[in-house]
Structures are given as C-alpha cells and as structure tokens.
Amino acid sequence: MSGQASFGRPMHRPTRIEVDLGAVRHNVARFGELTGTDVCAVVKGDGYGHGAVPVARAALEGGASWIAVALVEEGLALREAGIDVPLLVLSEPPVAAIGDLLEARLTPVVYRAPFLAALDAAARARPEPVGVHLKVDTGMGRVGAVAEDWDGVMREAAGAAGLRVDGLMTHLARADEPSESTTGEQLVRFAKAGRQAGLLGIEPRWRHAANSAGALAHRDARLDLVRPGIGIYGLSPGMDVDAAEYGLRPALELCTEVVFVKHVPGGTPVSYGHRWVAPRDGWVATLPLGYADGVPRALTNVAEVLIDGRRHPVAGTVCMDLLMVWCDQHRPHVGDRVVLLGAQGEDRVRVEEWAAIADTITYEIVTQLTARLPRGYVDHG
Ligand SMILES: Cc1ncc(COP(=O)(O)O)c(C=O)c1O
C-alpha cells in the first residue's frame, strides 16, 4: 500500500478520514514489546471508527494473536473478510446467536449459567469441545460473574463436556488512573478467582485483565494476554496515561479543503446564534464538515485546525455540514488542505485535544466520526 489513500467510491466532497495502517501495526508491536505478552487487538465499534477489517489485518501484521469484538455480528464480518485467527466476543451474546457463533468459530466470553448450559448443549453436537473464556467481575460492575456466583458458573463450565475453558478474564475499571488503588485490588480478586477455578480443575491457557491502560501502566495486570483497544489506534485511554509517552502513534487523520473564503470587517458575526464576532478585519474560511460527520458542536469557538501548518481557531457555531475558521491576516484559498485531526508541518492536532474540549474521552470522539466520512487507508511504515 502506498502513501496515496484509496476510498473505493466517488468523493465529491474533499472531507475524509485517512488511517495509517503502519501506525496500527507499529502500535500493536509496541504493546508486544512493552508487555512481553500476547496481544488481543480490540476492533469493536468498527475498529473504534477506523475500520475493523483493515485494522484487524494490520494488527495481525503487528503480531496480535487474538482479535476481539463486542458483537457476534462484528465477528461474522471479520470472518467474511477472511480473517481466520482466534476471535474473542467480549460480551455474552443472546442464546439465539449460538448457532452463528459456533458456525463462525468465534470464542465467546461467558459468565451466566443459563448461557453456558445452552452453549454446552449446542457444542456437544460438534466433534471438538468449544473454547470459551470465563469472565469474572472483580470490580468493574458491568458484566461478568459476581463473586457469589463464581462457584456456580465455574462448576457449570467445568462440568460442560462440550466446552473447554481456554481463558479466565476480568476487566479493569480504573486502570487509566495509575496512582489509584482499585486496579491492584481487582488483580488480587482475580488471582483468587484463578485459585478457585484451579480447585475445580479449570486451568486456562490465557488469564487476562488488561485494557490499554492496564497493559501500559500496570505491570501486574499483563498476565498471559493484554487486550488493548484505544492504544492500538495511538490514542490515550485517559488524561493520566498518555499514548505518546509510550511511543504509540495516532493512526487517524481527519482532513478536508477550504471551500469558501471571505474577507470580513471587524465586528462581523459568524454562524448560528452569532456566538463569534470577528475581532478585526480579516479572513474567514469555510470547511465542508460538521456535526453530522461527528465533529462535536462543543468545538465551537475553541478547537483549532491546521492550514499551511499553522493553527486557526474555529469561528462560530459548528453547523451540521459546515464550519468556519478564523484566518486573521493569513489569506486562505479555496482548495487549501486543512487538517482537523492529525499532523501538518511541525504541528499536530490530537484527538486528546478534542476530547478535552468536548469534556469526553478519545474513544467517544473517534467512534462518533460518522459513516458519512469516507475512510481511506495509507501505510506510512
Ligand atoms: C472487555 C474489554 N477488554 C478490552 C477493551 C479495550 O479497552 P481499551 O480500549 O481501553 O484498551 C474493552 C473496551 O472497552 C473491553 O470492553
């Protein structure tokens, strides 16, 4: 793949996402180096908005041995694209999905006795036992067997002739706060779950707990396998765990071109609600994207974009399909390339900046970039 992105459909609007698969490959390899464990690359939510299939392929090139998704549907799409490695489905699907799950050789995460029983019944018809990963809740409070159910669920799994417990896993609630004690406490509970499983004869090949923040900031959480999502896209899991400090590279760039230019007198109001007024005579450029593309309206008057390698602030309310930027005395031209997320010249606008402005997390920014934005793929090595 060259440096030129191909989008696979006609593009009349110059607005697009470019994903550097070389960065994904690099980031996955970096997780392998830093942790010394196997890597399960998480590509749910359409690869955190980057495109699940190309990201999964790049992650495998970077050394991932597992790929994880949230839904059976997401796993089926990867299988249809020819991805033939172990695929972990992170949440227990409805019983009705068991046929598709088995047919596609997806590995389910399991934690409820009724689901285990239904899966076992279906699995017994197959020549080989079906591998499952058993999830225990050690403090996330979302899904996973709660402590008083561990024994029952583990017994159900241990006695299921159609199943083989390949993994024991949990999920960390506060790994992105490295100085906080919860992660250590969760790992103690997880070790206890492991001992309890052992007493029932369950000795899984894979014990895993760590998301990106867990893998980067908590050595004890690394165990046999790490499950990074946000980090393989080169993005930070939180304010206190900075992806760049670990040598991870952002993979996503959001760019467009100037489509309209005007010189305005000082005092000219711009956009809905007139929430911005030109501070002096100067240039305003209009860009063809807006909140229908996933640009948060919260960026109004605050975020900055790069034109000619220089930062220009958003001027006025972000509209559905358009937004304006203040170029001051720097005259823009129709067709000038604009980078909203990514690097131009010496500077880079990070997803982390948008997340801070919009009072959210990097995850939400990238997963809310809508399908209207064409994704193209490049490989910068
Ligand atoms: C069970 C599980 N493991 C791993 C991940 C990856 O987490 P992160 O994107 O923070 O690395 C997620 C994502 O939320 C998850 O739900």
Side-chain angles (χ1 to χ4, degrees), residues 42-61:
V42 180
V43 305
K44 61 184 178 157
D46 198 23
Y48 289 44
H50 294 63
V53 170
V55 165
R57 290 201 183 110
L60 294 171
E61 287 169 16

Side-chain angles (χ1 to χ4, degrees), residues 91-141:
S91 282
E92 213 178 70
V95 166
I98 286 176
D100 283 349
L101 179 122
L102 294 178
E103 197 52 42
R105 293 168 292 107
L106 307 180
T107 304
V109 168
V110 296
Y111 35 80
R112 291 184 322 120
F115 181 84
L116 270 165
L119 185 65
D120 182 34
R124 282 176 195 234
R126 305 185 83 83
E128 296 283 320
V130 169
V132 299
H133 289 217
L134 204 57
K135 183 166 188 177
V136 290
D137 184 2
T138 56
M140 174 68 184

Side-chain angles (χ1 to χ4, degrees), residues 42 44 48 90 135 142 171 211-212 227-230 363:
V42 180
K44 61 184 178 157
Y48 289 44
L90 292 170
K135 183 166 188 177
R142 186 170 64 174
H171 192 52
N211 51 7
S212 299
R227 303 188 308 265
I230 200 74
Y363 305 67

Side-chain angles (χ1 to χ4, degrees), residues 14-30:
T15 307
R16 60 205 178 267
I17 285 174
E18 286 188 14
V19 177
D20 176 7
L21 295 174
V24 174
R25 210 169 50 232
H26 162 85
N27 294 334
V28 171
R30 193 83 191 105

Side-chain angles (χ1 to χ4, degrees), residues 152-230:
V153 171
M154 286 175 186
R155 280 180 197 278
E156 182 81 37
L163 307 181
R164 189 185 59 235
V165 181
D166 288 339
L168 184 67
M169 64 179 285
T170 194
H171 192 52
L172 303 173
R174 302 186 69 175
D176 58 325
E177 301 166 81
S179 55
E180 214 280 330
S181 62
T182 305
T183 300
E185 290 155 17
Q186 283 196 256
L187 292 172
V188 168
R189 286 183 214 123
F190 188 51
K192 184 176 169 207
R195 288 193 298 276
Q196 204 167 320
L199 293 174
L200 296 169
I202 299 174
E203 290 294 345
R205 159 71 184 84
W206 311 95
R207 285 165 204 252
H208 48 111
N211 51 7
S212 299
L216 296 173
H218 301 268
R219 278 174 190 279
D220 296 351
R222 294 171 180 168
L223 307 174
D224 302 317
L225 183 70
V226 293
R227 303 188 308 265
I230 200 74

